[in-house]
Amino acid sequence: MPLIELHDLSKTYNTAAVPVQAVKNVSLQIEKQEFTAIVGPSGSGKTTLLNLIGGLDKPTGGSIFVEGKDIATLKANDLIDFRLHHIGFVFQAYNLIPVFTAKENVEFIMLLQGVSRAKREQRALELLESVGLGDKVNSFPPQLSGGQQQRVAVARALASRPSFVLADEPTANLDSHTAGALLDMMAQLNREYGMTFIFSTHDPRVIKRARRVVTLEDGAVKSDVRQNEGKRET
Amino acid sequence: MYLTLSWRNLWRNKKRTLIAAASVFLAVLVAVVMRSMQIGSYAYMISSSVKFYTGYMQVQGNGYWENRSLNNSIMLDEKQQAEIAKIPHVTSVVPRLEAFSLVSFGKVTKVAQVTGVDPLVENNMTELKKRLVQGSYLTENPEGVLIAQGLADLLHVSVGDSVVLYGQGYHGVIAAAMLPVSGIVKFPIARMNNAMVFLTLTNAQDIFSTDGRITSLAVMLDDVRNQTAVFNALSSLVGDKYTLMTWEEMMPDLVQGIALDNASGLIMLIILYIVIAFGVFGTVMMMTTERAKEFGVLISVGMKRKRLIWVTTLETVFLAFLGAISGAAVSLAVITYFHYHPIPITGSAAPVFELLGVRPIFYFSTDPGLLINQALVVLLITLTTALYPLFFIKRLQPVQAMHG
């Protein structure tokens, strides 16, 4: 069973004078352990598609199955629960809680899941160690660089032991060196822990590192290319 | 961790939080001090007024208040009076026999209110002896009478002269006596100063042939707040046989005056509450709307709205408690100081108070209920502002919030 199945997925916004179809009849299957980039120019529907897959937005047509469950039919509260337990989010602007330390930011997701204090503290420390921030656990977001904040965001996304991580333009705010280091880290997590990553991006560095590139144009899938097959991420 | 989150969120903008907490603090301080002065002054006014003559309540014969006749007098012996005096919070009971009579000296005759009193207990309650401007008090000369200064002037009578009392006693018996004037007392109220004559209770009972009867028993309390409890105890003791009159029934003008002043005070308080409510609401609104994106992110990553509402409500709770508790603490210190060091009323207002037999001071109440009530009201108003983030978060669309 594929991890994610999109059937004829559509999203139309009726807020403007003229309805805008942001996603048009997209059908995709994403397997576990994939390292997939959803690419396309601005306004092509990347973020909308990610929001639909992440259960942040409701489709106007089609269906979204995650691990066999049609999330489009879930009620609002069930969707929040579903996101908490199945999806890790990484945002372009990091979006950490500014009044929490790096460790507390990672712990917070587990607190929402009801994980005991001792367990969540231990896991938060392990995760921060694994993203190379073992020495920054007690730093607050404003004390960290953009790259470090994004690493904390990745650790936070992984804290809930999600089925996959959705990353919306994760390198957009980072310089090339930091972006490269972040990609290395995510690739390592994909390789070593089998974590599925789905990115929306127009960053060629990310596209180059992806093993599958889905290109959107005007909300529709223009191409779906597998690359670097058999090549191990380094 | 939710508490930590709320507490730290509160201090994200220290200046704003401190200003909001300061407005709550000031609201509590102003409300408590203002009400303390009002309530304290009312209590002092009531206590001065009841001490002046009526007492907090009186036991009277049925119908006596409407028809001041000796025929409505009552028999309350010493044992019964002692039982009443034993009721908790009763500090003294003061028996009186009041009658209207003609008072003559030479060719002048006037109508007077003749009051028979127990000189010692009367003095303990009304400090009648202090009103002496001439002569001696009834304890030193029990056979004599005290005449109010205005009446003495009208009769052209001095200490040492004898006046004739002529009136109607119990059940129509003629009451007549010639009594020496042992002292002249001065009252600040003309109505009393031109009409009062005092003599000992036993003397009055003899002259008016009431045979140990009295017309009223004034009851004094330790605190006006215990009035209801004493009234209930006294009611069960005297039953329907006698009538109980409270100071409110005996001095309706004072009640109306207090009610009017209290209403204006409450209006001021309401205005203060409204100003504070808007001030705190503005802060809470800013604290909420500027974090719309953050709320969107938290809901996206799996935080349920009710938990988010709990966190933001806690922030308002912290803010409210911070202001209310510090406000209550400082208020307590302020009103305690002024309770022991009342503010003197000076200028043209002072003689008016003195004329009424009331010390010209602003008296402050330290009633804990006052402090708790005001702090609770301000706390409640502040907590009401937490409804804004509640509705804001309930309506929040995470995707729209995250993308501004």
Side-chain angles (χ1 to χ4, degrees), chain B residues 63-120:
Chain B
Y64 177 75
W65 187 253
E66 296 79 23
N67 178 16
R68 307 280 182 100
S69 163
L70 287 175
N71 295 341
N72 289 327
S73 58
I74 55 174
M75 179 57 86
L76 269 181
D77 60 26
E78 282 183 7
K79 194 182 160 195
Q80 288 170 302
Q81 289 183 27
E83 271 183 54
I84 293 170
K86 274 187 205 163
I87 293 172
H89 307 297
V90 170
T91 53
S92 65
V93 290
V94 182
R96 292 188 189 122
L97 182 75
E98 295 164 335
F100 290 95
S101 166
L102 295 174
V103 185
S104 297
F105 179 70
K107 292 181 179 175
V108 187
T109 300
K110 295 287 172 191
V111 176
Q113 182 182 321
V114 180
T115 307
V117 297
D118 179 326
L120 276 176

Side-chain angles (χ1 to χ4, degrees), chain A residues 47 51 56-57 77 80-81 83-84 87 89 91 93 95 97-101 104-105 107-109 111-113 120 140 156 168, chain B residues 1-2 4-6 8-12 293-294 296-307 311 397-400 402-403:
Chain A
T47 300
N51 286 341
L56 295 172
D57 218 344
N77 254 345
I80 292 176
D81 249 350
R83 289 199 296 267
L84 176 64
I87 309 172
F89 289 90
F91 303 98
N95 292 335
I97 300 170
V99 295
F100 272 170
T101 62
E104 287 167 339
N105 263 288
E107 262 191 74
F108 190 64
I109 296 294
L111 172 78
L112 297 176
Q113 288 182 311
R120 60 177 196 252
F140 287 91
R156 178 178 69 177
D168 186 12
Chain B
M1 208 164 180
Y2 294 122
T4 310
L5 179 60
S6 297
R8 289 186 191 164
N9 274 334
L10 198 62
W11 298 106
R12 281 163 83 159
K293 183 180 178 185
E294 188 178 312
V297 170
L298 287 170
I299 294 169
S300 298
V301 299
M303 189 172 189
K304 287 204 171 138
R305 285 170 202 266
K306 64 180 179 187
R307 279 186 175 150
V311 168
Q397 295 298 322
V399 173
Q400 286 168 11
M402 282 193 293
H403 295 99

Side-chain angles (χ1 to χ4, degrees), chain B residues 11 22 36 80 97 114 159 203 208 223 235 247 258 268 278 280 343 354 356 365 402:
Chain B
W11 298 106
S36 164
Q80 288 170 302
L97 182 75
V114 180
V159 173
N203 229 358
F208 291 97
D223 196 311
S235 292
W247 65 268
I258 288 175
M268 289 295 289
F278 276 103
V280 176
I343 300 172
E354 278 167 351
L356 294 168
S365 167
M402 282 193 293

